[in-house]
Amino acid sequence: MKFINRFSLHIHFKQPYLDWYNSIFPAEAFASIEEINQTEKTTYLIPVFDSDDEIDEYLQENFEQFFIDELFSVSMEQENWPKEITWETFNEWFEIDVTPMVVDYGEDELIDEGEGFSDFWEDEEPENESDGSEDDNIDFDSDDKIRHLPKPPQN
């Protein structure tokens, strides 16, 4: 057992998110908030903070990252997203639960296997550059890596 120097942030969905999700996937619609929150769960590891005020400040500074990750995990098509990604909209769509103790019972070493969805936008290579690989002419690499993503929203 190892304690990890992170807090966990859990995102719970509210009715506007459920309505949006069901509009994207009407054939796979969730019947209730309880049902979607039981099956579609996301936990983020965030820095450790000394006070609730510091947590609130962090959330207000970083809510767009969490909002975009949640939207992107359902639809990469930005035209399906809400028109405004604001702190107020975030609080209408999501409830946040922060847990200050994270314990790792795994035996394997922790590894970093990727970046958040919006990190892809920041690291996007210009389309005219090539590394000489044969995959340069396709829109997507394998199932493991997305090549072209929509631009992040500009508020």
Side-chain angles (χ1 to χ4, degrees):
M1 170 178 81
K2 297 170 262 186
F3 290 94
I4 298 177
N5 62 337
R6 297 286 185 268
F7 283 5
S8 66
L9 180 144
H10 306 273
I11 294 191
H12 305 277
F13 307 116
K14 293 182 177 180
Q15 192 64 46
Y17 179 89
L18 176 66
D19 295 341
W20 174 76
Y21 183 99
N22 286 346
S23 74
I24 303 294
F25 297 108
E28 303 163 13
F30 287 96
S32 68
I33 291 294
E34 292 79 17
E35 182 183 13
I36 195 170
N37 279 317
Q38 286 177 353
T39 59
E40 302 293 314
K41 297 178 183 180
T42 304
T43 299
Y44 297 94
L45 296 180
I46 62 172
V48 171
F49 297 101
D50 293 327
S51 71
D52 289 344
D53 289 340
E54 288 180 356
I55 294 170
D56 290 340
E57 182 179 333
Y58 175 82
L59 290 174
Q60 288 184 32
E61 290 173 0
N62 295 283
F63 77 90
E64 282 185 340
Q65 174 72 48
F66 300 116
F67 208 145
I68 289 169
D69 284 352
E70 291 301 318
L71 296 171
F72 190 87
S73 69
V74 174
S75 174
M76 293 186 334
E77 297 177 19
Q78 194 174 0
E79 60 271 8
N80 291 332
W81 295 3
K83 299 273 185 256
E84 295 186 36
I85 296 181
T86 64
W87 176 243
E88 291 75 23
T89 307
F90 181 79
N91 285 295
E92 290 171 9
W93 283 43
F94 307 106
E95 182 177 327
I96 301 300
D97 176 29
V98 175
T99 304
M101 187 185 313
V102 177
V103 180
D104 178 11
Y105 277 96
E107 295 179 15
D108 296 333
E109 181 180 342
L110 296 174
I111 58 173
D112 179 359
E113 290 190 5
E115 302 168 331
F117 293 125
S118 65
D119 290 337
F120 283 105
W121 291 310
E122 295 167 7
D123 297 334
E124 187 174 351
E125 296 178 20
E127 289 188 26
N128 60 353
E129 289 186 17
S130 171
D131 66 1
S133 72
E134 63 186 48
D135 291 338
D136 284 339
N137 296 326
I138 59 174
D139 287 337
F140 295 95
D141 283 341
S142 69
D143 291 337
D144 298 49
K145 183 178 176 187
I146 297 171
R147 176 65 74 78
H148 300 285
L149 302 177
K151 297 292 181 203
Q154 302 297 316
N155 291 334

